[in-house]
PDB file of all heavy atoms in Angstrom:
ATOM      1  N   ASP Q   2     -55.440-131.203  -6.098  1.00 94.00           N
ATOM      2  CA  ASP Q   2     -56.076-131.621  -7.353  1.00 94.00           C
ATOM      3  C   ASP Q   2     -56.311-130.450  -8.299  1.00 94.00           C
ATOM      4  O   ASP Q   2     -56.947-130.610  -9.344  1.00 94.00           O
ATOM      5  CB  ASP Q   2     -57.422-132.297  -7.049  1.00 94.00           C
ATOM      6  CG  ASP Q   2     -57.242-133.628  -6.320  1.00 94.00           C
ATOM      7  OD1 ASP Q   2     -56.219-134.294  -6.570  1.00 94.00           O
ATOM      8  OD2 ASP Q   2     -58.117-133.983  -5.512  1.00 94.00           O
ATOM      9  N   ILE Q   3     -55.813-129.271  -7.952  1.00 95.00           N
ATOM     10  CA  ILE Q   3     -56.050-128.079  -8.755  1.00 95.00           C
ATOM     11  C   ILE Q   3     -54.949-127.934  -9.800  1.00 95.00           C
ATOM     12  O   ILE Q   3     -53.767-127.816  -9.462  1.00 95.00           O
ATOM     13  CB  ILE Q   3     -56.094-126.813  -7.875  1.00 95.00           C
ATOM     14  CG1 ILE Q   3     -57.177-126.950  -6.801  1.00 95.00           C
ATOM     15  CG2 ILE Q   3     -56.342-125.578  -8.724  1.00 95.00           C
ATOM     16  CD1 ILE Q   3     -57.107-125.867  -5.739  1.00 95.00           C
ATOM     17  N   GLN Q   4     -55.352-127.952 -11.056  1.00 95.00           N
ATOM     18  CA  GLN Q   4     -54.386-127.816 -12.148  1.00 95.00           C
ATOM     19  C   GLN Q   4     -54.047-126.348 -12.365  1.00 95.00           C
ATOM     20  O   GLN Q   4     -54.928-125.522 -12.581  1.00 95.00           O
ATOM     21  CB  GLN Q   4     -54.964-128.395 -13.435  1.00 95.00           C
ATOM     22  CG  GLN Q   4     -53.983-128.459 -14.587  1.00 95.00           C
ATOM     23  CD  GLN Q   4     -53.025-129.625 -14.472  1.00 95.00           C
ATOM     24  OE1 GLN Q   4     -53.437-130.759 -14.311  1.00 95.00           O
ATOM     25  NE2 GLN Q   4     -51.732-129.337 -14.542  1.00 95.00           N
ATOM     26  N   ILE Q   5     -52.770-126.010 -12.295  1.00 96.00           N
ATOM     27  CA  ILE Q   5     -52.293-124.659 -12.572  1.00 96.00           C
ATOM     28  C   ILE Q   5     -51.692-124.685 -13.971  1.00 96.00           C
ATOM     29  O   ILE Q   5     -50.773-125.460 -14.244  1.00 96.00           O
ATOM     30  CB  ILE Q   5     -51.262-124.188 -11.528  1.00 96.00           C
ATOM     31  CG1 ILE Q   5     -51.830-124.363 -10.110  1.00 96.00           C
ATOM     32  CG2 ILE Q   5     -50.860-122.750 -11.802  1.00 96.00           C
ATOM     33  CD1 ILE Q   5     -53.123-123.626  -9.848  1.00 96.00           C
ATOM     34  N   LYS Q   6     -52.174-123.803 -14.830  1.00 92.00           N
ATOM     35  CA  LYS Q   6     -51.932-123.963 -16.265  1.00 92.00           C
ATOM     36  C   LYS Q   6     -50.685-123.282 -16.801  1.00 92.00           C
ATOM     37  O   LYS Q   6     -50.365-123.442 -17.975  1.00 92.00           O
ATOM     38  CB  LYS Q   6     -53.161-123.477 -17.035  1.00 92.00           C
ATOM     39  CG  LYS Q   6     -54.420-124.283 -16.722  1.00 92.00           C
ATOM     40  CD  LYS Q   6     -55.618-123.759 -17.489  1.00 92.00           C
ATOM     41  CE  LYS Q   6     -56.862-124.563 -17.157  1.00 92.00           C
ATOM     42  NZ  LYS Q   6     -58.065-124.048 -17.885  1.00 92.00           N
ATOM     43  N   ASN Q   7     -50.009-122.468 -15.997  1.00 93.00           N
ATOM     44  CA  ASN Q   7     -48.819-121.811 -16.540  1.00 93.00           C
ATOM     45  C   ASN Q   7     -47.792-121.543 -15.454  1.00 93.00           C
ATOM     46  O   ASN Q   7     -47.957-121.995 -14.313  1.00 93.00           O
ATOM     47  CB  ASN Q   7     -49.198-120.524 -17.283  1.00 93.00           C
ATOM     48  CG  ASN Q   7     -50.004-119.589 -16.414  1.00 93.00           C
ATOM     49  OD1 ASN Q   7     -49.666-119.377 -15.250  1.00 93.00           O
ATOM     50  ND2 ASN Q   7     -51.078-119.026 -16.956  1.00 93.00           N
ATOM     51  N   LYS Q   8     -46.748-120.791 -15.807  1.00 95.00           N
ATOM     52  CA  LYS Q   8     -45.597-120.633 -14.935  1.00 95.00           C
ATOM     53  C   LYS Q   8     -45.521-119.283 -14.224  1.00 95.00           C
ATOM     54  O   LYS Q   8     -44.456-118.858 -13.804  1.00 95.00           O
ATOM     55  CB  LYS Q   8     -44.302-120.863 -15.723  1.00 95.00           C
ATOM     56  CG  LYS Q   8     -44.077-122.316 -16.139  1.00 95.00           C
ATOM     57  CD  LYS Q   8     -42.753-122.472 -16.852  1.00 95.00           C
ATOM     58  CE  LYS Q   8     -42.446-123.917 -17.171  1.00 95.00           C
ATOM     59  NZ  LYS Q   8     -42.194-124.714 -15.947  1.00 95.00           N
ATOM     60  N   VAL Q   9     -46.648-118.603 -14.090  1.00 97.00           N
ATOM     61  CA  VAL Q   9     -46.638-117.319 -13.383  1.00 97.00           C
ATOM     62  C   VAL Q   9     -47.932-117.169 -12.607  1.00 97.00           C
ATOM     63  O   VAL Q   9     -49.011-117.502 -13.101  1.00 97.00           O
ATOM     64  CB  VAL Q   9     -46.422-116.137 -14.366  1.00 97.00           C
ATOM     65  CG1 VAL Q   9     -47.448-116.158 -15.475  1.00 97.00           C
ATOM     66  CG2 VAL Q   9     -46.449-114.814 -13.645  1.00 97.00           C
ATOM     67  N   VAL Q  10     -47.815-116.704 -11.357  1.00 96.00           N
ATOM     68  CA  VAL Q  10     -48.988-116.475 -10.510  1.00 96.00           C
ATOM     69  C   VAL Q  10     -48.901-115.070  -9.921  1.00 96.00           C
ATOM     70  O   VAL Q  10     -47.837-114.447  -9.896  1.00 96.00           O
ATOM     71  CB  VAL Q  10     -49.105-117.530  -9.388  1.00 96.00           C
ATOM     72  CG1 VAL Q  10     -49.229-118.921  -9.982  1.00 96.00           C
ATOM     73  CG2 VAL Q  10     -47.917-117.468  -8.437  1.00 96.00           C
ATOM     74  N   LEU Q  11     -50.042-114.579  -9.456  1.00 96.00           N
ATOM     75  CA  LEU Q  11     -50.120-113.218  -8.920  1.00 96.00           C
ATOM     76  C   LEU Q  11     -49.948-113.249  -7.412  1.00 96.00           C
ATOM     77  O   LEU Q  11     -50.727-113.877  -6.702  1.00 96.00           O
ATOM     78  CB  LEU Q  11     -51.458-112.582  -9.295  1.00 96.00           C
ATOM     79  CG  LEU Q  11     -51.656-111.121  -8.890  1.00 96.00           C
ATOM     80  CD1 LEU Q  11     -50.665-110.219  -9.612  1.00 96.00           C
ATOM     81  CD2 LEU Q  11     -53.085-110.677  -9.191  1.00 96.00           C
ATOM     82  N   ALA Q  12     -48.933-112.554  -6.914  1.00 95.00           N
ATOM     83  CA  ALA Q  12     -48.618-112.546  -5.488  1.00 95.00           C
ATOM     84  C   ALA Q  12     -49.635-111.723  -4.701  1.00 95.00           C
ATOM     85  O   ALA Q  12     -50.251-110.800  -5.228  1.00 95.00           O
ATOM     86  CB  ALA Q  12     -47.229-111.952  -5.269  1.00 95.00           C
ATOM     87  N   PRO Q  13     -49.777-112.030  -3.407  1.00 93.00           N
ATOM     88  CA  PRO Q  13     -50.565-111.154  -2.528  1.00 93.00           C
ATOM     89  C   PRO Q  13     -49.754-109.919  -2.167  1.00 93.00           C
ATOM     90  O   PRO Q  13     -48.559-110.012  -1.903  1.00 93.00           O
ATOM     91  CB  PRO Q  13     -50.797-112.030  -1.294  1.00 93.00           C
ATOM     92  CG  PRO Q  13     -49.616-112.949  -1.260  1.00 93.00           C
ATOM     93  CD  PRO Q  13     -49.244-113.201  -2.693  1.00 93.00           C
ATOM     94  N   MET Q  14     -50.407-108.765  -2.166  1.00 92.00           N
ATOM     95  CA  MET Q  14     -49.752-107.517  -1.762  1.00 92.00           C
ATOM     96  C   MET Q  14     -50.741-106.695  -0.958  1.00 92.00           C
ATOM     97  O   MET Q  14     -51.825-106.355  -1.457  1.00 92.00           O
ATOM     98  CB  MET Q  14     -49.274-106.729  -2.980  1.00 92.00           C
ATOM     99  CG  MET Q  14     -48.121-107.372  -3.726  1.00 92.00           C
ATOM    100  SD  MET Q  14     -47.649-106.425  -5.212  1.00 92.00           S
ATOM    101  CE  MET Q  14     -48.952-106.954  -6.338  1.00 92.00           C
ATOM    102  N   ALA Q  15     -50.372-106.383   0.281  1.00 89.00           N
ATOM    103  CA  ALA Q  15     -51.253-105.613   1.153  1.00 89.00           C
ATOM    104  C   ALA Q  15     -51.560-104.254   0.543  1.00 89.00           C
ATOM    105  O   ALA Q  15     -50.664-103.554   0.077  1.00 89.00           O
ATOM    106  CB  ALA Q  15     -50.605-105.436   2.530  1.00 89.00           C
ATOM    107  N   GLY Q  16     -52.838-103.898   0.518  1.00 87.00           N
ATOM    108  CA  GLY Q  16     -53.248-102.609   0.000  1.00 87.00           C
ATOM    109  C   GLY Q  16     -53.312-102.524  -1.511  1.00 87.00           C
ATOM    110  O   GLY Q  16     -53.624-101.470  -2.058  1.00 87.00           O
ATOM    111  N   ILE Q  17     -53.015-103.620  -2.191  1.00 91.00           N
ATOM    112  CA  ILE Q  17     -53.013-103.617  -3.657  1.00 91.00           C
ATOM    113  C   ILE Q  17     -53.906-104.712  -4.233  1.00 91.00           C
ATOM    114  O   ILE Q  17     -54.780-104.437  -5.057  1.00 91.00           O
ATOM    115  CB  ILE Q  17     -51.578-103.751  -4.214  1.00 91.00           C
ATOM    116  CG1 ILE Q  17     -50.743-102.531  -3.822  1.00 91.00           C
ATOM    117  CG2 ILE Q  17     -51.609-103.903  -5.742  1.00 91.00           C
ATOM    118  CD1 ILE Q  17     -49.308-102.578  -4.288  1.00 91.00           C
ATOM    119  N   THR Q  18     -53.686-105.973  -3.821  1.00 92.00           N
ATOM    120  CA  THR Q  18     -54.366-107.084  -4.483  1.00 92.00           C
ATOM    121  C   THR Q  18     -55.791-107.292  -3.959  1.00 92.00           C
ATOM    122  O   THR Q  18     -56.173-108.383  -3.547  1.00 92.00           O
ATOM    123  CB  THR Q  18     -53.559-108.389  -4.382  1.00 92.00           C
ATOM    124  OG1 THR Q  18     -53.126-108.585  -3.030  1.00 92.00           O
ATOM    125  CG2 THR Q  18     -52.357-108.344  -5.279  1.00 92.00           C
ATOM    126  N   SER Q  19     -56.552-106.226  -4.020  1.00 92.00           N
ATOM    127  CA  SER Q  19     -57.966-106.301  -3.691  1.00 92.00           C
ATOM    128  C   SER Q  19     -58.696-106.994  -4.836  1.00 92.00           C
ATOM    129  O   SER Q  19     -58.103-107.351  -5.858  1.00 92.00           O
ATOM    130  CB  SER Q  19     -58.535-104.901  -3.476  1.00 92.00           C
ATOM    131  OG  SER Q  19     -58.477-104.173  -4.694  1.00 92.00           O
ATOM    132  N   LEU Q  20     -59.991-107.172  -4.677  1.00 93.00           N
ATOM    133  CA  LEU Q  20     -60.781-107.853  -5.696  1.00 93.00           C
ATOM    134  C   LEU Q  20     -60.649-107.170  -7.054  1.00 93.00           C
ATOM    135  O   LEU Q  20     -60.477-107.833  -8.087  1.00 93.00           O
ATOM    136  CB  LEU Q  20     -62.245-107.898  -5.263  1.00 93.00           C
ATOM    137  CG  LEU Q  20     -63.219-108.541  -6.260  1.00 93.00           C
ATOM    138  CD1 LEU Q  20     -62.841-109.990  -6.525  1.00 93.00           C
ATOM    139  CD2 LEU Q  20     -64.648-108.453  -5.725  1.00 93.00           C
ATOM    140  N   GLY Q  21     -60.725-105.837  -7.079  1.00 93.00           N
ATOM    141  CA  GLY Q  21     -60.628-105.115  -8.342  1.00 93.00           C
ATOM    142  C   GLY Q  21     -59.306-105.336  -9.041  1.00 93.00           C
ATOM    143  O   GLY Q  21     -59.250-105.523 -10.263  1.00 93.00           O
ATOM    144  N   TYR Q  22     -58.212-105.324  -8.273  1.00 95.00           N
ATOM    145  CA  TYR Q  22     -56.888-105.542  -8.853  1.00 95.00           C
ATOM    146  C   TYR Q  22     -56.786-106.957  -9.405  1.00 95.00           C
ATOM    147  O   TYR Q  22     -56.258-107.169 -10.508  1.00 95.00           O
ATOM    148  CB  TYR Q  22     -55.814-105.311  -7.798  1.00 95.00           C
ATOM    149  CG  TYR Q  22     -54.398-105.379  -8.326  1.00 95.00           C
ATOM    150  CD1 TYR Q  22     -53.797-104.265  -8.895  1.00 95.00           C
ATOM    151  CD2 TYR Q  22     -53.663-106.558  -8.263  1.00 95.00           C
ATOM    152  CE1 TYR Q  22     -52.500-104.322  -9.386  1.00 95.00           C
ATOM    153  CE2 TYR Q  22     -52.366-106.623  -8.748  1.00 95.00           C
ATOM    154  CZ  TYR Q  22     -51.784-105.505  -9.311  1.00 95.00           C
ATOM    155  OH  TYR Q  22     -50.500-105.570  -9.800  1.00 95.00           O
ATOM    156  N   ARG Q  23     -57.300-107.923  -8.657  1.00 95.00           N
ATOM    157  CA  ARG Q  23     -57.223-109.314  -9.112  1.00 95.00           C
ATOM    158  C   ARG Q  23     -58.036-109.525 -10.386  1.00 95.00           C
ATOM    159  O   ARG Q  23     -57.610-110.239 -11.302  1.00 95.00           O
ATOM    160  CB  ARG Q  23     -57.678-110.270  -8.009  1.00 95.00           C
ATOM    161  CG  ARG Q  23     -56.835-110.197  -6.739  1.00 95.00           C
ATOM    162  CD  ARG Q  23     -57.058-111.379  -5.823  1.00 95.00           C
ATOM    163  NE  ARG Q  23     -58.430-111.631  -5.463  1.00 95.00           N
ATOM    164  CZ  ARG Q  23     -59.058-111.123  -4.399  1.00 95.00           C
ATOM    165  NH1 ARG Q  23     -58.412-110.281  -3.602  1.00 95.00           N
ATOM    166  NH2 ARG Q  23     -60.308-111.450  -4.132  1.00 95.00           N
ATOM    167  N   LYS Q  24     -59.219-108.911 -10.451  1.00 94.00           N
ATOM    168  CA  LYS Q  24     -60.031-109.020 -11.667  1.00 94.00           C
ATOM    169  C   LYS Q  24     -59.285-108.448 -12.870  1.00 94.00           C
ATOM    170  O   LYS Q  24     -59.259-109.040 -13.955  1.00 94.00           O
ATOM    171  CB  LYS Q  24     -61.351-108.268 -11.484  1.00 94.00           C
ATOM    172  CG  LYS Q  24     -62.405-109.008 -10.694  1.00 94.00           C
ATOM    173  CD  LYS Q  24     -63.695-108.199 -10.671  1.00 94.00           C
ATOM    174  CE  LYS Q  24     -64.819-108.954  -9.995  1.00 94.00           C
ATOM    175  NZ  LYS Q  24     -66.081-108.158  -9.979  1.00 94.00           N
ATOM    176  N   PHE Q  25     -58.689-107.287 -12.676  1.00 96.00           N
ATOM    177  CA  PHE Q  25     -57.954-106.633 -13.754  1.00 96.00           C
ATOM    178  C   PHE Q  25     -56.783-107.492 -14.224  1.00 96.00           C
ATOM    179  O   PHE Q  25     -56.591-107.718 -15.426  1.00 96.00           O
ATOM    180  CB  PHE Q  25     -57.458-105.278 -13.261  1.00 96.00           C
ATOM    181  CG  PHE Q  25     -56.524-104.569 -14.197  1.00 96.00           C
ATOM    182  CD1 PHE Q  25     -57.000-103.906 -15.318  1.00 96.00           C
ATOM    183  CD2 PHE Q  25     -55.151-104.556 -13.947  1.00 96.00           C
ATOM    184  CE1 PHE Q  25     -56.132-103.244 -16.182  1.00 96.00           C
ATOM    185  CE2 PHE Q  25     -54.279-103.898 -14.805  1.00 96.00           C
ATOM    186  CZ  PHE Q  25     -54.768-103.245 -15.928  1.00 96.00           C
ATOM    187  N   MET Q  26     -55.993-107.985 -13.293  1.00 96.00           N
ATOM    188  CA  MET Q  26     -54.789-108.739 -13.651  1.00 96.00           C
ATOM    189  C   MET Q  26     -55.109-110.127 -14.191  1.00 96.00           C
ATOM    190  O   MET Q  26     -54.303-110.710 -14.922  1.00 96.00           O
ATOM    191  CB  MET Q  26     -53.867-108.848 -12.439  1.00 96.00           C
ATOM    192  CG  MET Q  26     -53.281-107.527 -11.979  1.00 96.00           C
ATOM    193  SD  MET Q  26     -52.171-106.758 -13.189  1.00 96.00           S
ATOM    194  CE  MET Q  26     -50.667-107.709 -12.922  1.00 96.00           C
ATOM    195  N   SER Q  27     -56.283-110.655 -13.850  1.00 95.00           N
ATOM    196  CA  SER Q  27     -56.640-112.007 -14.293  1.00 95.00           C
ATOM    197  C   SER Q  27     -56.663-112.124 -15.812  1.00 95.00           C
ATOM    198  O   SER Q  27     -56.391-113.192 -16.376  1.00 95.00           O
ATOM    199  CB  SER Q  27     -58.009-112.402 -13.729  1.00 95.00           C
ATOM    200  OG  SER Q  27     -57.941-112.585 -12.329  1.00 95.00           O
ATOM    201  N   LYS Q  28     -56.960-111.030 -16.496  1.00 95.00           N
ATOM    202  CA  LYS Q  28     -57.042-111.061 -17.949  1.00 95.00           C
ATOM    203  C   LYS Q  28     -55.690-111.300 -18.613  1.00 95.00           C
ATOM    204  O   LYS Q  28     -55.620-111.658 -19.787  1.00 95.00           O
ATOM    205  CB  LYS Q  28     -57.605-109.733 -18.471  1.00 95.00           C
ATOM    206  CG  LYS Q  28     -59.004-109.424 -17.998  1.00 95.00           C
ATOM    207  CD  LYS Q  28     -59.513-108.145 -18.627  1.00 95.00           C
ATOM    208  CE  LYS Q  28     -58.558-107.005 -18.341  1.00 95.00           C
ATOM    209  NZ  LYS Q  28     -59.006-105.736 -18.963  1.00 95.00           N
ATOM    210  N   PHE Q  29     -54.617-111.122 -17.859  1.00 96.00           N
ATOM    211  CA  PHE Q  29     -53.281-111.244 -18.440  1.00 96.00           C
ATOM    212  C   PHE Q  29     -52.673-112.631 -18.224  1.00 96.00           C
ATOM    213  O   PHE Q  29     -51.550-112.877 -18.641  1.00 96.00           O
ATOM    214  CB  PHE Q  29     -52.381-110.143 -17.895  1.00 96.00           C
ATOM    215  CG  PHE Q  29     -52.847-108.778 -18.317  1.00 96.00           C
ATOM    216  CD1 PHE Q  29     -53.737-108.069 -17.543  1.00 96.00           C
ATOM    217  CD2 PHE Q  29     -52.434-108.236 -19.522  1.00 96.00           C
ATOM    218  CE1 PHE Q  29     -54.201-106.819 -17.944  1.00 96.00           C
ATOM    219  CE2 PHE Q  29     -52.891-106.986 -19.942  1.00 96.00           C
ATOM    220  CZ  PHE Q  29     -53.787-106.279 -19.149  1.00 96.00           C
ATOM    221  N   GLY Q  30     -53.418-113.525 -17.566  1.00 95.00           N
ATOM    222  CA  GLY Q  30     -53.038-114.924 -17.569  1.00 95.00           C
ATOM    223  C   GLY Q  30     -52.284-115.502 -16.393  1.00 95.00           C
ATOM    224  O   GLY Q  30     -51.535-116.474 -16.583  1.00 95.00           O
ATOM    225  N   PRO Q  31     -52.458-115.004 -15.156  1.00 97.00           N
ATOM    226  CA  PRO Q  31     -51.814-115.714 -14.042  1.00 97.00           C
ATOM    227  C   PRO Q  31     -52.462-117.080 -13.827  1.00 97.00           C
ATOM    228  O   PRO Q  31     -53.643-117.270 -14.131  1.00 97.00           O
ATOM    229  CB  PRO Q  31     -52.068-114.787 -12.843  1.00 97.00           C
ATOM    230  CG  PRO Q  31     -53.327-114.059 -13.186  1.00 97.00           C
ATOM    231  CD  PRO Q  31     -53.275-113.860 -14.691  1.00 97.00           C
ATOM    232  N   GLY Q  32     -51.692-118.017 -13.303  1.00 96.00           N
ATOM    233  CA  GLY Q  32     -52.231-119.351 -13.038  1.00 96.00           C
ATOM    234  C   GLY Q  32     -53.234-119.360 -11.897  1.00 96.00           C
ATOM    235  O   GLY Q  32     -54.172-120.160 -11.883  1.00 96.00           O
ATOM    236  N   TYR Q  33     -53.021-118.505 -10.921  1.00 96.00           N
ATOM    237  CA  TYR Q  33     -53.995-118.271  -9.857  1.00 96.00           C
ATOM    238  C   TYR Q  33     -53.708-116.920  -9.238  1.00 96.00           C
ATOM    239  O   TYR Q  33     -52.677-116.294  -9.508  1.00 96.00           O
ATOM    240  CB  TYR Q  33     -54.000-119.390  -8.813  1.00 96.00           C
ATOM    241  CG  TYR Q  33     -52.749-119.553  -7.971  1.00 96.00           C
ATOM    242  CD1 TYR Q  33     -52.524-118.788  -6.819  1.00 96.00           C
ATOM    243  CD2 TYR Q  33     -51.799-120.530  -8.276  1.00 96.00           C
ATOM    244  CE1 TYR Q  33     -51.398-118.956  -6.034  1.00 96.00           C
ATOM    245  CE2 TYR Q  33     -50.661-120.712  -7.504  1.00 96.00           C
ATOM    246  CZ  TYR Q  33     -50.469-119.916  -6.377  1.00 96.00           C
ATOM    247  OH  TYR Q  33     -49.347-120.095  -5.601  1.00 96.00           O
ATOM    248  N   VAL Q  34     -54.636-116.443  -8.416  1.00 96.00           N
ATOM    249  CA  VAL Q  34     -54.464-115.169  -7.725  1.00 96.00           C
ATOM    250  C   VAL Q  34     -54.617-115.391  -6.228  1.00 96.00           C
ATOM    251  O   VAL Q  34     -55.195-116.389  -5.789  1.00 96.00           O
ATOM    252  CB  VAL Q  34     -55.482-114.111  -8.208  1.00 96.00           C
ATOM    253  CG1 VAL Q  34     -55.277-113.807  -9.684  1.00 96.00           C
ATOM    254  CG2 VAL Q  34     -56.919-114.562  -7.949  1.00 96.00           C
ATOM    255  N   VAL Q  35     -54.083-114.448  -5.447  1.00 96.00           N
ATOM    256  CA  VAL Q  35     -54.097-114.566  -3.991  1.00 96.00           C
ATOM    257  C   VAL Q  35     -54.664-113.278  -3.392  1.00 96.00           C
ATOM    258  O   VAL Q  35     -54.341-112.177  -3.850  1.00 96.00           O
ATOM    259  CB  VAL Q  35     -52.677-114.811  -3.424  1.00 96.00           C
ATOM    260  CG1 VAL Q  35     -52.738-115.156  -1.939  1.00 96.00           C
ATOM    261  CG2 VAL Q  35     -51.967-115.913  -4.197  1.00 96.00           C
ATOM    262  N   THR Q  36     -55.482-113.413  -2.365  1.00 95.00           N
ATOM    263  CA  THR Q  36     -56.013-112.243  -1.669  1.00 95.00           C
ATOM    264  C   THR Q  36     -54.900-111.493  -0.951  1.00 95.00           C
ATOM    265  O   THR Q  36     -53.794-112.015  -0.769  1.00 95.00           O
ATOM    266  CB  THR Q  36     -57.047-112.661  -0.615  1.00 95.00           C
ATOM    267  OG1 THR Q  36     -56.397-113.457   0.395  1.00 95.00           O
ATOM    268  CG2 THR Q  36     -58.194-113.449  -1.226  1.00 95.00           C
ATOM    269  N   GLU Q  37     -55.201-110.293  -0.517  1.00 94.00           N
ATOM    270  CA  GLU Q  37     -54.334-109.646   0.466  1.00 94.00           C
ATOM    271  C   GLU Q  37     -54.264-110.554   1.691  1.00 94.00           C
ATOM    272  O   GLU Q  37     -55.193-111.313   1.968  1.00 94.00           O
ATOM    273  CB  GLU Q  37     -54.913-108.290   0.869  1.00 94.00           C
ATOM    274  CG  GLU Q  37     -55.018-107.295  -0.262  1.00 94.00           C
ATOM    275  CD  GLU Q  37     -55.696-106.014   0.179  1.00 94.00           C
ATOM    276  OE1 GLU Q  37     -55.084-105.241   0.930  1.00 94.00           O
ATOM    277  OE2 GLU Q  37     -56.856-105.786  -0.236  1.00 94.00           O
ATOM    278  N   MET Q  38     -53.161-110.472   2.442  1.00 94.00           N
ATOM    279  CA  MET Q  38     -53.068-111.369   3.590  1.00 94.00           C
ATOM    280  C   MET Q  38     -54.113-110.992   4.641  1.00 94.00           C
ATOM    281  O   MET Q  38     -54.362-109.814   4.900  1.00 94.00           O
ATOM    282  CB  MET Q  38     -51.656-111.390   4.180  1.00 94.00           C
ATOM    283  CG  MET Q  38     -51.136-110.120   4.761  1.00 94.00           C
ATOM    284  SD  MET Q  38     -49.482-110.396   5.465  1.00 94.00           S
ATOM    285  CE  MET Q  38     -49.178-108.786   6.165  1.00 94.00           C
ATOM    286  N   ILE Q  39     -54.711-112.024   5.226  1.00 96.00           N
ATOM    287  CA  ILE Q  39     -55.860-111.867   6.108  1.00 96.00           C
ATOM    288  C   ILE Q  39     -55.488-112.353   7.506  1.00 96.00           C
ATOM    289  O   ILE Q  39     -54.991-113.470   7.687  1.00 96.00           O
ATOM    290  CB  ILE Q  39     -57.058-112.667   5.572  1.00 96.00           C
ATOM    291  CG1 ILE Q  39     -57.474-112.131   4.198  1.00 96.00           C
ATOM    292  CG2 ILE Q  39     -58.230-112.635   6.539  1.00 96.00           C
ATOM    293  CD1 ILE Q  39     -58.548-112.965   3.507  1.00 96.00           C
ATOM    294  N   SER Q  40     -55.759-111.530   8.486  1.00 96.00           N
ATOM    295  CA  SER Q  40     -55.447-111.863   9.874  1.00 96.00           C
ATOM    296  C   SER Q  40     -56.392-112.933  10.409  1.00 96.00           C
ATOM    297  O   SER Q  40     -57.610-112.820  10.289  1.00 96.00           O
ATOM    298  CB  SER Q  40     -55.560-110.605  10.739  1.00 96.00           C
ATOM    299  OG  SER Q  40     -55.678-110.922  12.099  1.00 96.00           O
ATOM    300  N   ASP Q  41     -55.818-113.969  11.036  1.00 97.00           N
ATOM    301  CA  ASP Q  41     -56.663-114.986  11.665  1.00 97.00           C
ATOM    302  C   ASP Q  41     -57.533-114.377  12.760  1.00 97.00           C
ATOM    303  O   ASP Q  41     -58.738-114.641  12.843  1.00 97.00           O
ATOM    304  CB  ASP Q  41     -55.821-116.146  12.206  1.00 97.00           C
ATOM    305  CG  ASP Q  41     -54.785-115.734  13.255  1.00 97.00           C
ATOM    306  OD1 ASP Q  41     -54.539-114.514  13.455  1.00 97.00           O
ATOM    307  OD2 ASP Q  41     -54.199-116.628  13.891  1.00 97.00           O
ATOM    308  N   MET Q  42     -56.945-113.492  13.561  1.00 96.00           N
ATOM    309  CA  MET Q  42     -57.713-112.883  14.652  1.00 96.00           C
ATOM    310  C   MET Q  42     -58.759-111.908  14.120  1.00 96.00           C
ATOM    311  O   MET Q  42     -59.825-111.741  14.719  1.00 96.00           O
ATOM    312  CB  MET Q  42     -56.780-112.180  15.629  1.00 96.00           C
ATOM    313  CG  MET Q  42     -55.772-113.103  16.302  1.00 96.00           C
ATOM    314  SD  MET Q  42     -56.531-114.563  17.072  1.00 96.00           S
ATOM    315  CE  MET Q  42     -57.536-113.793  18.350  1.00 96.00           C
TER     316      MET Q  42
END
């Protein structure tokens, strides 16, 4: 039920897409952002 408003999203990248990076990139208009990949264990 989540509406994604455009045709580009921000990929997860280990060691890069931390909270600070996501906040910074959010201003440029991705449809959604993704955390760094998180281990289930």
Side-chain angles (χ1 to χ4, degrees):
D2 293 328
I3 303 169
Q4 187 78 53
I5 307 302
K6 298 179 180 179
N7 55 45
K8 290 183 175 292
V9 55
V10 300
L11 184 64
M14 291 177 281
I17 296 179
T18 48
S19 65
L20 178 60
Y22 186 85
R23 299 195 306 270
K24 281 184 175 180
F25 172 78
M26 294 295 281
S27 291
K28 298 184 304 179
F29 295 90
Y33 66 84
V34 297
V35 189
T36 64
E37 298 176 72
M38 64 177 184
I39 298 173
S40 162
D41 60 349
M42 299 308 296

